[in-house]
Amino acid sequence: MSLLCKRCIIVPGNGCTNAKKSNWYGRAQEELTKTGLFKEVIVENMPDPHVARESVWLPFLQKLGADEDAVLIGHSSGAEATMRLLEKQKLRGAVLVSACHTDLGDENERASGYYDRPWEWTAIAENAGFILQWHSTDDPFIPISEARHVAESLGVSWRPKLHRELVECTSHKLSIGTPNLLGHLFFLCVCVWECNFLNSPVAEAKKQRLLFSLEP
């Protein structure tokens, strides 16, 4: 098996009409491409960018190549899309950034369709070769309690000490300072490499389930 992963897909949050120039997505694409671990790193403008409907986003992600040899990095609505996709689709791995499990009382979020039924947590966990979860404790939009619920439901370990040894991060969008972003991406690459080295993207790689407490 090649030590290359076929692709990494960065799934933006809603409201991003120019994904490569929004938040940290374009920078992450550049840095992940430099690692040589992925044959391609994809950042595309999503259809229905403001409501981010599940019925639109999931088929689009599958067209982009979200399959057993892909790692998805989902931010905000992109994290929810990634989790719903994992209910049915195996992935090499998933990174959940600023994930939530409820619509937070927001009509636009409710209209997306992600929150109208229970989450299939067992399927999500079983279909991911590895799961990383990053969340800021001072996120002004999604409280840390949402992330902790996701982590507990997926069996993700709570590892704030390890986080503090790697990076510091704040806010919903996350800082894009070099030590911050590169620290996150480095750990992702370690997980991808381990998953490849074990020669089994799903069956043998049930080991990297970490939630980092991104404390300011």
Side-chain angles (χ1 to χ4, degrees):
M1 179 178 178
S2 170
L3 289 181
L4 285 178
C5 182
K6 186 178 293 183
R7 66 182 58 86
C8 176
I9 303 172
I10 299 172
V11 191
N14 63 12
C16 297
T17 55
N18 188 336
K20 289 186 179 181
K21 293 186 177 181
S22 297
N23 301 319
W24 40 267
Y25 312 139
R27 176 72 187 283
Q29 181 186 36
E30 293 174 5
E31 297 299 333
L32 286 169
T33 299
K34 291 178 185 177
T35 68
L37 279 173
F38 303 96
K39 293 181 179 178
E40 60 178 340
V41 181
I42 299 170
V43 180
E44 291 286 343
N45 293 332
M46 300 295 288
D48 188 29
H50 296 293
V51 181
R53 291 177 179 85
E54 178 186 359
S55 60
V56 177
W57 277 32
L58 266 58
F60 185 73
L61 290 176
Q62 291 176 315
K63 287 182 180 179
L64 291 179
D67 58 22
E68 290 187 37
D69 203 15
V71 172
L72 265 61
I73 304 176
H75 176 225
S76 196
S77 293
E80 282 75 80
T82 298
M83 290 192 294
R84 284 301 186 190
L85 182 66
L86 275 168
E87 290 180 341
K88 306 296 181 185
Q89 172 66 54
K90 293 183 184 298
L91 297 175
R92 175 68 64 91
V95 181
L96 308 176
V97 185
S98 303
C100 62
H101 68 100
T102 73
D103 62 24
L104 302 170
D106 184 279
E107 284 189 21
N108 191 71
E109 295 292 341
R110 190 175 304 118
S112 69
Y114 297 114
Y115 315 100
D116 60 2
R117 62 196 185 281
W119 292 90
E120 298 179 31
W121 299 116
T122 300
I124 294 169
E126 289 296 320
N127 283 332
F130 64 83
I131 295 175
L132 301 178
Q133 189 179 351
W134 304 330
H135 201 100
S136 298
T137 53
D138 67 343
D139 189 319
F141 303 112
I142 302 176
I144 192 67
S145 59
E146 289 276 323
R148 286 173 174 160
H149 180 89
V150 172
E152 291 170 2
S153 299
L154 291 175
V156 175
S157 299
W158 183 246
R159 296 283 296 279
K161 182 177 180 181
L162 180 58
H163 149 69
R164 286 195 293 271
E165 294 172 353
L166 290 174
V167 293
E168 292 181 358
C169 195
T170 60
S171 188
H172 177 70
K173 295 181 179 179
L174 308 188
S175 168
I176 59 172
T178 298
N180 182 345
L181 179 62
L182 297 188
H184 281 61
L185 299 184
F186 171 77
F187 196 77
L188 164 62
C189 290
V190 169
C191 291
V192 172
W193 184 86
E194 286 185 355
C195 202
N196 291 344
F197 185 75
L198 286 171
N199 203 32
S200 177
V202 176
E204 296 295 332
K206 290 284 187 287
K207 72 294 180 199
Q208 301 288 359
R209 303 198 184 284
L210 303 174
L211 169 65
F212 290 107
S213 169
L214 305 187
E215 299 180 3

